[in-house]
């Protein structure tokens, strides 16, 4: 049996990255994800890699752009305000079709906000990482084990599809300690990086990494080609978990740390005879539209639970084609609901069905 | 017989630069140096946002087109991934000394073993002649239409002087390309800046006083004259730093670890 190690979520991400062959980490300190930088600073020199503290998140993401262009498996991590600074670079990296992994251990906002856990960057992550028609893969872990596992999957996905993959976590997952098994890392075949800028050696034509396409026809074609790739990803790479949905009248839709609170509330509700289940999107982009939509014929009501003011509600309405009512319960600004608060919301809804 | 050939490191395509613009001269000098040092096959160039944004069409080495001001950070990522590649950035004054100031200062502070070719033309060429961080006192631009007033728009930045205060910077020289002797000196400086990288000496920057006849509203001849009468007195030519800071730059850490 595989040996499990007790670790903080942030450390699990860092170790999983190293185990996935990541040799370059560029970051800038910000709570609640600084443990990733600190772990990398300790470990990278021991494995022949590099952990470099940049002068800002802007520089860190552009160092990533350079390392990715040069063919490295590279990682950067930050928390909400720092991700905003990275957004310019993310857009360029998408425009250049470069693979990399970006971690956002979310905290409350807007502005400097607070340092407590949140899911307030859902829109930013899934709809508008940067300017332009673009997407990045978004994976939302809900345990320390998944922090590790999804990080290793993110590296493979990024390389396979030549685009950034984001781990969208939160301060609670980053700080909590749980046992992790590193033997179950992703090991997919990834294409060779023949496009990398690492010197022609006089043996091939020059490689150009570029997002500038001044001719609108060319630019349109390149965006359309990227969206074809997005369609393929939506078809093949969607991940989700269904929990007690088969007979559920109420389906809670929640991801990340919130999904765990909901599971506790679901157990309590079931003990009281209320048929409630959980649908947990693991990929937030691509969104498991079809799979959630399939529940709309059986369930009577969808309840979205998040640590924000309801950013995922629209996605649930679209996925379920508004066939059944969709309501929202959440806390924001770094507050986390207790299972009892979620249970009360479930009971209130059950009384109306 | 003297045969005037295109350097192998320059692609066989015409430049898009305006008539009389000295960007083209500097491209040629860089390409000649890459040829003479036989570097093209191991070189990665990071081009900026500015008039030289299309540099990826002109050099035969591997090319990356960075966001405005971020070339030094991108170059850092490349160099730290492949320390044996020769990495250089080619940047304008707006790119290097306004939006990218932090990246510029810190690439120097880290002593990244790369080469920076810095085109100072006292203006934002690409966007049509707005004030740059290096725009001269009194100089008229579209966003300093009454002439740059130092009390309102601040004073120009002298980049070589500023960077030469940083421990990680090995070499900082300001050159001009307004006369044949100056072009020869400029080439020698560019060659040294690449040789330093081969020798792992640390960050090398060559600031080239360059012309923008289009946005200065001058003929090419008048522009070359203005470099002499106005720019050089304010931005004196010469070597501001020439040191071997090998022990301070990242290339040496590998050796320490080994
Ligand atoms: C983030 C961002 N801001 C502004 C611009 C617009 N812009 C393009 S080039 C440029 C100035 C370039 O001037 P300089 O660096 O001096 O280069 P030159 O054209 O003079 O060679 C600006 C402001 C941009 N492309 N990106
Ligand atoms: S606008 Fe100025 S800097 Fe740009 S190509 Fe024309 S002359 Fe050169
Ligand atoms: Mg300029």
């Amino acid at each position: 049996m595989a040996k499990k190690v007790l670790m903080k979520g942030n450390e699990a991400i860092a170790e999983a990255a190293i185990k996935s062959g990541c040799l370059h980490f560029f970051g800038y300190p910000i709570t609640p994800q600084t443990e990733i930088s600190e772990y990398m600073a300790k470990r990278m020199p021991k494995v022949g890699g590099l952990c470099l503290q940049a002068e800002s998140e802007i520089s860190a993401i552009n160092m990533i752009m350079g390392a990715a262009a040069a063919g490295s498996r590279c990682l950067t991590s930050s928390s909400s305000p720092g991700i905003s600074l990275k957004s310019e670079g993310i857009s360029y990296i998408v425009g250049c079709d470069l693979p990399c992994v970006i971690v956002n251990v979310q905290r409350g906002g807007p502005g400097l906000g607070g340092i407590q856990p949140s899911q307030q960057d859902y829109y930013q992550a899934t709809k508008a990482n940067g300017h332009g028609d673009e997407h990045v893969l978004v994976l939302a872990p809900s345990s320390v084990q998944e922090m590790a596992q999804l990080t290793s999957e993110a590296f493979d996905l990024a390389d396979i599809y030549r685009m950034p993959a984001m781990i969208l976590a939160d301060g609670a997952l980053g700080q909590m300690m749980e046992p992790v098994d590193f033997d179950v890392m992703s090991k997919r075949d990834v294409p060779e990086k023949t496009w990398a800028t690492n010197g022609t050696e006089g043996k091939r034509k020059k490689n150009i990494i570029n997002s500038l396409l001044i001719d609108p026809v060319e630019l349109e074609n390149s965006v359309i080609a990227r969206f074809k790739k997005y369609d393929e990803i939506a078809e093949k790479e969607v991940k989700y978990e269904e929990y007690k949905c088969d007979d559920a009248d109420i389906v809670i839709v929640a991801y990340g740390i919130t999904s765990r609170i909901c599971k506790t509330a679901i157990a309590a509700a079931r003990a009281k005879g209320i048929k409630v289940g959980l649908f947990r999107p693991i990929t937030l982009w691509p969104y498991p539209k079809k799979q959630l939509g399939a529940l709309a014929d059986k369930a009577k009501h969808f309840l979205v639970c998040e640590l924000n003011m309801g950013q995922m509600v629209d996605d649930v309405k679209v996925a379920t084609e508004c066939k059944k009512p969709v309501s929202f319960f959440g806390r924001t600004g770094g507050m986390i609901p207790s299972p009892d608060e979620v249970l009360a919301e479930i009971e209130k809804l059950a009384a109306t069905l | 017989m003297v045969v005037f050939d295109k350097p192998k490191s320059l692609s066989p395509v015409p430049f898009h630069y305006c008539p009389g613009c000295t960007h083209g001269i500097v491209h040629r000098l860089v390409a000649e140096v890459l040829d003479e040092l036989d570097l093209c096959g191991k070189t990665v160039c990071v081009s900026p946002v500015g008039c030289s944004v299309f540099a990826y069409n002109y050099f035969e080495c591997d090319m990356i087109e960075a966001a405005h001001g971020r070339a030094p950070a991108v170059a850092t990522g490349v160099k730290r991934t492949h320390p044996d590649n020769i990495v250089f950035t080619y940047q304008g004054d707006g790119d290097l000394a306004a939006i990218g100031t932090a990246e510029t200062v810190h690439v120097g502070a880290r002593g990244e073993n790369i080469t920076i070719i810095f085109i100072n033309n006292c203006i934002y060429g690409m966007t049509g002649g707005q004030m740059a961080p290096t725009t001269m006192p009194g100089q008229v631009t579209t966003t300093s239409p009454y002439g740059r007033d130092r009390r309102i728009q601040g004073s120009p930045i002298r980049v070589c002087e500023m960077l030469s205060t940083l421990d990680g910077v090995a070499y900082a020289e300001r050159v001009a390309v307004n006369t044949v002797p100056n072009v020869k000196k400029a080439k020698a400086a560019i060659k040294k800046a690449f040789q330093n990288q081969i020798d792992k000496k640390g960050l090398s920057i060559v600031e080239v006083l360059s012309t923008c006849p289009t946005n200065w509203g001058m003929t090419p001849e008048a522009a070359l004259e203005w470099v002499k009468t106005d720019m050089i007195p304010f931005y004196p030519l010469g070597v501001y730093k020439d040191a071997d800071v090998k022990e301070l730059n990242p290339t040496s850490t590998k050796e320490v670890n080994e």
Side-chain angles (χ1 to χ4, degrees):
Chain A
M1 211 188 76
K3 214 175 117 223
K4 291 199 174 185
V5 223
L6 191 65
M7 272 188 152
K8 270 194 179 185
N10 283 336
E11 295 169 345
I13 285 177
E15 185 56 33
I18 291 170
K19 288 200 157 53
S20 308
C22 166
L23 281 178
H24 297 95
F25 174 85
F26 303 97
Y28 187 85
I30 182 169
T31 308
Q33 62 77 54
T34 305
E35 291 84 1
I36 300 180
S37 281
E38 290 170 344
Y39 192 92
M40 288 303 200
K42 263 195 209 147
R43 283 277 285 146
M44 276 299 196
K46 310 274 187 226
V47 297
L50 170 78
C51 168
L52 187 62
Q53 182 166 320
E55 61 272 23
S56 68
E57 289 85 351
I58 298 175
S59 287
I61 192 73
N62 283 285
M63 289 172 184
I64 288 285
M65 175 161 155
S72 157
R73 270 203 152 180
C74 49
L75 176 78
T76 185
S77 73
S78 191
S79 179
S80 311
I83 296 293
S84 291
L85 277 187
K86 285 186 197 295
S87 66
E88 176 198 50
I90 294 174
S91 175
Y92 276 75
I93 290 171
V94 171
C96 291
D97 297 311
L98 293 173
C100 67
V101 177
I102 301 158
V103 177
N104 181 0
V105 184
Q106 299 166 90
R107 57 188 253 179
L112 198 49
I115 58 170
Q116 297 304 321
S118 98
Q119 296 177 324
Q120 287 173 293
D121 304 341
Y122 179 90
Y123 277 150
Q124 187 192 40
T126 61
K127 319 263 188 253
N129 293 282
H131 57 282
D133 273 329
E134 53 96 53
H135 284 292
V136 310
L137 289 143
V138 183
L139 307 173
S142 70
S143 65
V144 176
Q145 177 67 44
E146 274 191 355
M147 292 283 251
Q149 186 136 1
L150 293 181
T151 296
S152 80
E153 285 182 29
F155 276 106
D156 283 351
L157 287 168
D159 279 350
I160 291 168
Y161 295 104
R162 274 184 73 176
M163 63 189 283
M166 177 179 278
I167 301 293
L168 191 70
D170 59 72
L173 288 167
Q175 299 300 322
M176 68 167 50
M177 289 185 89
E178 283 180 336
V180 195
D181 174 1
F182 285 104
D183 283 351
V184 287
M185 300 286 97
S186 172
K187 283 186 197 78
R188 292 172 65 169
D189 285 338
V190 296
E192 210 189 315
K193 297 179 178 177
T194 52
W195 44 262
T197 48
N198 48 11
T200 65
E201 297 296 343
K203 289 184 190 128
R204 57 162 169 78
K205 277 180 65 187
K206 69 177 167 186
N207 283 334
I208 301 175
I209 300 292
N210 173 37
S211 65
L212 174 67
L213 295 168
I214 207 85
D215 171 6
V217 176
E218 237 187 291
L219 182 54
E220 184 185 49
N221 286 340
S222 87
V223 172
I224 290 172
R226 209 169 284 122
F227 271 71
K228 282 213 177 100
K229 175 171 82 179
Y230 293 163
D231 288 343
E232 185 192 339
I233 296 170
E235 202 51 51
K236 291 188 188 159
E237 305 294 352
V238 155
K239 286 174 90 76
Y240 62 97
E241 179 197 354
E242 267 185 46
Y243 176 72
K244 297 188 196 280
C245 284
D246 282 347
D247 65 342
D249 293 328
I250 300 169
V251 171
I252 299 181
V253 189
Y255 56 91
I257 191 68
T258 318
S259 66
R260 295 174 60 158
I261 299 163
C262 292
K263 276 190 181 172
T264 309
I266 287 167
R270 289 247 167 204
K272 295 186 175 192
I274 305 172
K275 288 181 180 159
V276 53
L278 171 76
F279 185 89
R280 175 169 76 96
I282 298 174
T283 50
L284 298 182
W285 191 93
Y287 198 77
K289 243 188 232 166
K290 265 194 255 169
Q291 295 78 2
L292 177 57
L295 298 178
D297 293 326
K298 295 187 284 180
K300 294 181 182 153
H301 191 102
F302 291 87
L303 170 64
V304 179
C305 283
E306 291 176 278
L307 304 184
N308 60 40
M309 294 300 285
Q311 296 188 16
M312 189 174 60
V313 168
D314 288 348
D315 283 342
V316 175
K317 284 186 177 167
V318 168
T320 57
E321 294 170 358
C322 292
K323 285 180 186 160
K324 299 290 160 61
V326 178
S327 63
F328 173 73
F329 176 76
R331 299 290 303 267
T332 191
M335 296 299 291
I336 298 185
S338 66
D340 282 348
E341 283 176 81
V342 179
L343 176 62
E345 188 66 22
I346 295 169
E347 287 183 297
K348 206 168 78 190
L349 280 177
T352 67
L353 295 180
Chain B
M1 195 181 78
V2 178
V3 182
F4 195 69
D5 265 341
K6 214 164 181 142
K8 284 201 198 65
S9 301
L10 270 191
S11 306
V13 293
F15 290 143
H16 72 283
Y17 298 111
C18 305
C21 174
T22 47
H23 263 301
I25 297 180
V26 183
H27 277 26
R28 188 183 166 100
L29 296 182
V30 170
E32 285 178 1
V33 166
L34 293 181
D35 280 7
E36 286 165 22
L37 298 175
D38 194 18
L39 293 180
C40 194
K42 47 192 316 210
T43 297
V44 180
C45 167
V46 186
S47 56
V49 179
C51 278
S52 45
V53 71
F54 293 117
Y56 56 80
N57 287 327
Y58 304 144
F59 293 108
E60 280 297 280
C61 56
D62 277 353
M63 298 291 305
I64 302 174
E65 176 17 59
H68 197 18
R70 317 295 177 221
V74 173
T76 298
V78 177
K79 189 73 179 181
R80 296 293 186 114
T81 302
H82 296 299
D84 293 333
N85 277 149
I86 296 297
V87 181
F88 79 97
T89 70
Y90 184 105
Q91 302 174 258
D93 40 73
D95 196 85
L96 181 140
I99 196 166
T101 315
E103 285 78 358
T104 303
V105 168
H106 285 272
V107 82
R110 289 191 302 272
E112 297 294 342
N113 187 38
I114 65 164
T115 303
I116 296 179
I117 307 298
F118 168 39
I119 303 297
N120 180 359
N121 57 10
C122 294
I123 204 142
Y124 283 12
M126 191 193 206
T127 40
Q130 295 79 26
M131 190 185 69
T134 49
T135 288
M136 306 259 291
Q139 187 184 338
V140 172
T141 71
T142 61
T143 51
S144 57
Y146 307 109
R148 181 177 189 156
D149 183 337
R150 299 169 75 148
R151 295 164 307 176
I152 297 170
Q153 286 118 343
S155 296
I157 296 177
R158 292 188 181 90
V159 169
C160 278
E161 288 85 331
M162 177 178 76
L163 290 185
S164 61
T165 65
L166 299 172
D167 289 354
V169 174
Y171 175 56
E173 178 166 358
R174 183 179 294 122
V175 297
V177 284
N178 59 325
T179 63
V180 173
N182 276 349
V183 169
K184 283 189 174 153
K185 282 188 206 157
K187 180 169 170 188
I190 291 169
K191 194 162 184 177
K192 184 172 163 78
F194 278 95
Q195 187 62 48
N196 281 353
Q197 188 176 161
I198 298 168
D199 299 339
K200 303 181 178 176
K201 281 194 175 167
L203 187 97
S204 295
I205 176 167
V206 179
E207 173 175 347
V208 186
L209 300 185
S210 196
T211 61
C212 178
T214 303
N215 289 304
W216 293 356
M218 295 179 195
T219 62
E221 294 80 9
L224 293 174
E225 188 58 21
W226 196 72
V227 172
K228 181 177 153 202
T229 55
D230 288 65
M231 281 177 86
I232 294 179
F234 192 84
Y235 293 112
L237 305 184
V239 177
Y240 286 87
K241 188 162 184 193
D242 187 3
D244 186 343
V245 290
K246 190 172 183 176
E247 76 284 0
L248 294 182
N249 82 54
T251 318
S252 62
T253 48
K254 257 210 147 149
E255 283 151 22
V256 172
N257 286 345
E258 273 158 12

